[in-house]
Amino acid sequence: KVLQQTLKSGPEELRSAAAEGCMITAGRYMEQGTRDLLALALYDEVRKADVPKQLGVTATHGAILAREAAGRFLLVEQLKSDDPAYRAVALHLVRELPGAEVTTALALELGKVQPAVQALLIPALADRGDNRALMAIEDRAKKGTAEVRIAAVQALGKIGGNSSLAILLPALAAGRDPAESDAALASLMQIRAPDTNVRVLAALSSAEPGVCARLIGVLGARGAENARGAILKLAANPDATVSMAAFRALALLARPGDLPELIR
């Protein structure tokens, strides 16, 4: 009570110390696990008090955690803040605040925040490992700015499914932003979508040589046994880019029975 009273109406030189004391007390309440409402009240008092900004930022962090899933509303509010310090604490908490409701709320807001924030929010959403964010990330991979598209394409390697392959495969195409194409290549090597090897193999036949070579590299890195025969044939391709990529992949995929063909 002394801390709260000092925070509200005490001498200005004591308010920061009172704010720190309130937050230490709130943290102890949180550790006890049974007094979250008391902790929340203290964090909110510090947030609203006339104290240095960093104390307000720290209190906001605590207030969001104390609210648990209901903290998603305050979290989204900070993502939209014009103050980079409050946006930073929100982006940190995207990975930390649990709950399906949190993922859903963040996915709904993804396209509404500034592009620079989207590019940071996307990898944080992917790190949650919750497929509820997938559709929103795929949408940004198709419609976002260059920076946002690259972030989304990178994230699809971690969180993507079969639906993501229709985004990643065209992103390898000639004429695309090289950074976006490189991100798509890395994601295709990493993605766990069940249809990946089949879809990449099917794309080989119509791909121009540069893209074909990259697709071959994907199949080799993924250890795609179903592609071994096709890649053996491509080792004899007249385009050196394709044939060299095929030999590199065969270093990972070939079996002893393939040696006669390789030597030939």
Side-chain angles (χ1 to χ4, degrees):
K1 290 180 180 179
V2 172
L3 290 169
Q4 289 173 295
Q5 187 60 40
T6 304
L7 183 65
K8 289 178 182 176
S9 56
E12 184 176 348
E13 65 270 19
L14 295 182
R15 285 182 202 155
S16 292
E20 291 175 8
C22 285
M23 289 192 288
I24 290 170
T25 306
R28 290 176 180 167
Y29 284 155
M30 292 282 284
E31 289 171 5
Q32 292 174 12
T34 57
R35 309 184 79 176
D36 290 353
L37 289 177
L38 292 173
L40 178 56
L42 287 170
Y43 284 130
D44 280 347
E45 284 188 36
V46 176
R47 284 200 311 123
K48 296 170 185 175
D50 183 15
V51 294
K53 183 175 77 172
Q54 188 52 48
L55 291 172
V57 171
T58 304
T60 300
H61 180 280
I64 292 171
L65 285 179
R67 284 171 166 82
E68 297 181 336
R72 63 189 184 275
F73 302 109
L74 185 55
L75 176 59
V76 167
E77 183 181 318
Q78 307 317 307
L79 284 173
K80 295 179 176 179
S81 171
D82 292 330
D83 191 315
Y86 284 93
R87 290 201 305 270
V89 79
L91 288 164
H92 173 75
L93 283 169
V94 168
R95 293 177 169 88
E96 195 173 339
L97 190 67
E101 308 100 313
V102 177
T103 306
T104 300
L106 291 168
L108 288 172
E109 295 295 330
L110 179 57
K112 302 176 185 178
V113 295
Q114 299 172 20
V117 178
Q118 290 181 34
L120 297 172
L121 178 55
I122 286 167
L125 270 173
D127 284 345
R128 291 179 67 85
D130 188 337
N131 286 335
R132 292 172 182 84
L134 177 57
M135 188 177 296
I137 292 174
E138 288 180 339
D139 179 72
R140 293 296 86 197
K142 292 183 281 189
K143 300 178 183 176
T145 63
E147 180 186 21
V148 171
R149 289 198 313 273
I150 291 167
V153 167
Q154 288 172 335
L156 291 178
K158 180 175 289 188
I159 198 175
N162 284 335
S163 59
S164 308
L165 299 173
I167 297 169
L168 294 176
L169 287 167
L172 282 175
R176 286 294 186 108
D177 181 338
E180 185 178 348
S181 181
D182 289 344
L185 179 67
S187 287
L188 283 168
M189 291 179 176
Q190 179 187 10
I191 195 169
R192 296 181 181 179
D195 291 352
T196 304
N197 292 353
V198 172
R199 295 276 294 277
V200 173
L201 180 58
L204 283 177
S205 60
S206 58
E208 57 90 18
V211 175
C212 183
R214 305 195 99 191
L215 293 172
I216 292 169
V218 169
L219 293 167
R222 294 181 64 86
E225 286 285 341
N226 63 319
R228 198 170 89 249
I231 295 176
L232 268 171
K233 293 178 181 176
L234 288 169
N237 193 281
D239 189 291
T241 304
V242 174
S243 62
M244 288 166 63
F247 276 112
R248 283 193 292 268
L250 288 167
L252 302 169
L253 297 175
R255 296 291 176 263
D258 299 325
L259 279 172
E261 181 65 12
L262 284 170
I263 292 168
R264 188 189 67 78

